[in-house]
Amino acid sequence: MMTPDLSSLDALPTPALLLDETRMMRNIARLAEHAERLGVSLRPHAKTAKSVEAIRRLTGGVPGPITVSTLAEAEVFHDAGHDDILYAVGIAPQKLGRVQSLRARGCDLVVILDSEAQAQAVAQADVPALIEIDSDGHRGGLRPDDPALIRIGRILHDSGCLRGVMTHAGESYSVRGPSSHAEFAEQERKAVVAAAESLRDAGLPCPVVSVGSTPTAHAARDLTGVTELRAGVYMFFDLVMAGIDVCTVDDIALSVLTTVIGHQPTKGWTMIDAGWMALSRDRGTAAQDVDQGYGLVCDENGRVLSDLIVSSANQEHGIVSLRPGADGPMPDLPVGTRLRILPNHACATAAQHERYNVLPQDDGAMQTWPRFGGW
Amino acid sequence: MMTPDLSSLDALPTPALLLDETRMMRNIARLAEHAERLGVSLRPHAKTAKSVEAIRRLTGGVPGPITVSTLAEAEVFHDAGHDDILYAVGIAPQKLGRVQSLRARGCDLVVILDSEAQAQAVAQADVPALIEIDSDGHRGGLRPDDPALIRIGRILHDSGCLRGVMTHAGESYSVRGPSSHAEFAEQERKAVVAAAESLRDAGLPCPVVSVGSTPTAHAARDLTGVTELRAGVYMFFDLVMAGIDVCTVDDIALSVLTTVIGHQPTKGWTMIDAGWMALSRDRGTAAQDVDQGYGLVCDENGRVLSDLIVSSANQEHGIVSLRPGADGPMPDLPVGTRLRILPNHACATAAQHERYNVLPQDDGAMQTWPRFGGW
């Protein structure tokens, strides 16, 4: 393997979002292979990347099935050729006009819901839907034995809008290690399969049985009865995922390039130009075994300086210091030194930036992939 | 006063950032009058609004002196006619090329620094600078009695780059009430005036003596020796500022319009389509007397529902519930109901959005003011 030429980094104004495509492609391949072994199709979530170029790599080089978190994502990705999209946030009736417009343009956009009121609005608008199932008490959805399930299924089926069921084990983020995540995966599977069987027992079709979260998707051992798997942050990974052993720190494909702008030597502080505007306010590792502050510090080439974290963040200032309990001394990082910060939560950090600066591979040049936001 | 027509709100897709211009203009006038009484000029901070239209109102309808937190802000606001700009984040030597370009285009852009290494780089680039003074141990800056002050002053003066001194009492955010903030204001004043006198005693000129933070700017009683006052978030205010009595909740000019998308009745949860992507991850009220979660809930017309907060936030989901200890019951908020969320931290919440939807005043129409981001 050739050593990539990183000299183009020198010209990049900081703070800037860096993407290591080699790591990203390795992360994408890992879950694709696991889904194939489990015999389910993969419907990756586009909310982390929000970039046409990045998502194309997530779906095998061609526009494939995806999950989205906003209608803006559905619109942008449909324009880029994706025509099989799940909008996986409970539908508000006011949004059905935009959904219908996209469907009229040839996009098979499917929504989710968990109430009779939503089902009636969706049936009236002739929009296909999955019923959201609550597998872990995390957020929305019906418990699989909720009698409303059949009532909702019937409202949808009567207008030809019933596509199936889905769940998301958001609570799996709060436990550590593959065997704990496998338990959540089995809980996801059991909940949606039970809901699908209830619907079928009532004479209602349930072709789609969809599960997923990044921890459970990687840990699932058996997905009998499930048809598709969703996950998003795995393409980049982050410190939260490393903290619960879904990946290692070396798998994290995203970082923020920053420059040292000052010091308070008596306090052991090194100031950088990446504050919460560049890193996000996400403190997802605060409740984990190892609190990484606002991010873990690496040198300019990406080598982890494992005792250094961003301990505090203002809008455009970060304070780098030794983590509590670490042996000193603080390394010498003169004004102008460049560092990279690994993010707690890739979705949140990426959202603070307008583009990915894609690190050169082998002897290639640095690329820029635009990101979008909004709703 | 006529009742404004809010029907245009109905067509606005959610989540969306709303700006109440009447409140904003009242907030702007309040500090302008206070600065005039104190006999100092005002150099408002543009980092909160990041909008040409909003900042024009902050500087009296014409492009006036401003403070910025990024060179992107300096570039955008100079293009909009502002030619007197302070970049109030410690300068990295790599950024001096962009600073010189702006200065060559006629912008009097001034930087800040607190080390000899930065002073040498700045002197070599012929860029004027203020020396940052640490008045409260919050972040960067030299203590006024640090012998490096005179050395830095001399490096700058020898190349004609010494403009003065500045400080920012970031710690004033951690105390409550005008008399506590007035103590921090006096601490800011004493620190910079002492630094200015040290420089003058050493034969070095110090024309600019700059102080400011939103709490201290409003509470300062005497600014003898100070030439200019900086503050930013006061134009919008937020729950953090209301929580330390710099403003009331009724002064908050910014909110996020959101739609109810689901319920978990047994848990008392109402799900909305404003998650941390729309509200930010800022939890600035968590350490205050009243923790407002991810924001305080109002009805669609802005009437505060004082027992309701956004208790939890995922990327595109917020969970609204009664605040701990509140008497129930949870109000009936059917799917499709619109609410407004007041932000913890206006700078962070505004940064998540691409535009302000400016509420109609009297019988006018709703306006849209674009925002920008990046560095």
Side-chain angles (χ1 to χ4, degrees), chain B residues 76-349:
Chain B
V76 170
F77 290 116
H78 178 61
D79 285 346
H82 296 265
D83 57 11
D84 179 1
I85 304 181
L86 175 66
Y87 171 43
V89 174
I91 189 72
Q94 294 96 325
K95 291 178 179 165
L96 285 167
R98 276 171 83 188
V99 173
Q100 287 172 310
S101 296
L102 267 167
R103 291 190 56 79
R105 287 164 50 201
C107 181
D108 187 17
L109 178 61
V110 175
V111 303
I112 72 166
L113 54 81
D114 65 359
S115 69
E116 292 175 65
Q118 287 167 303
Q120 274 148 3
V122 159
Q124 197 165 4
D126 195 25
V127 166
L130 303 183
I131 304 172
E132 185 175 6
I133 304 300
D134 177 12
S135 57
D136 64 355
H138 176 67
R139 197 166 61 197
L142 299 170
R143 301 297 299 183
D145 59 355
D146 191 319
L149 174 68
I150 305 300
R151 292 198 298 270
I152 292 170
R154 197 152 280 141
I155 294 168
L156 292 174
H157 177 59
D158 287 349
S159 59
C161 294
L162 180 60
R163 278 285 176 93
V165 291
M166 62 84 73
T167 193
H168 164 67
E171 287 298 306
S172 67
Y173 286 60
S174 63
V175 297
R176 181 171 182 170
S179 58
S180 299
H181 297 143
E183 286 173 30
F184 270 94
E186 178 59 9
Q187 199 171 300
E188 275 189 321
R189 191 192 71 80
K190 274 190 181 154
V192 276
V193 168
E197 283 170 3
S198 287
L199 288 167
R200 290 171 189 142
D201 288 348
L204 302 167
C206 188
V208 177
V209 181
S210 176
V211 300
S213 74
T214 285
T216 57
H218 288 78
R221 291 164 188 162
D222 168 39
L223 289 179
T224 304
V226 166
T227 65
E228 73 173 25
L229 189 59
R230 306 183 323 278
V233 76
Y234 74 97
M235 68 184 296
F236 295 153
F237 278 132
D238 53 29
L239 294 169
V240 165
M241 288 296 119
I244 56 171
D245 300 336
V246 182
C247 67
T248 69
V249 167
D250 289 336
D251 294 324
I252 301 175
L254 214 61
S255 62
V256 174
L257 184 70
T258 181
T259 305
V260 171
I261 57 170
H263 302 87
Q264 287 289 17
T266 57
K267 294 173 174 166
W269 290 355
T270 293
M271 250 70 79
I272 57 174
D273 68 355
W276 55 253
M277 191 67 95
L279 299 172
S280 93
R281 268 284 190 207
D282 199 285
R283 289 279 294 104
T285 56
Q288 293 191 331
D289 295 342
V290 179
D291 183 348
Q292 306 281 16
Y294 286 91
L296 181 60
V297 181
C298 306
D299 70 13
E300 183 173 8
N301 298 314
R303 194 174 56 90
V304 174
L305 307 173
S306 57
D307 281 342
L308 284 191
I309 59 169
V310 182
S311 52
S312 173
N314 296 134
Q315 187 158 347
E316 299 290 351
H317 296 81
I319 297 180
V320 168
S321 61
L322 291 169
R323 67 170 75 246
D327 292 332
M330 186 74 186
D332 186 34
L333 302 168
V335 164
T337 304
R338 294 203 164 196
L339 301 169
R340 289 192 207 174
I341 312 300
L342 298 178
N344 279 323
H345 187 174
C347 306
T349 299

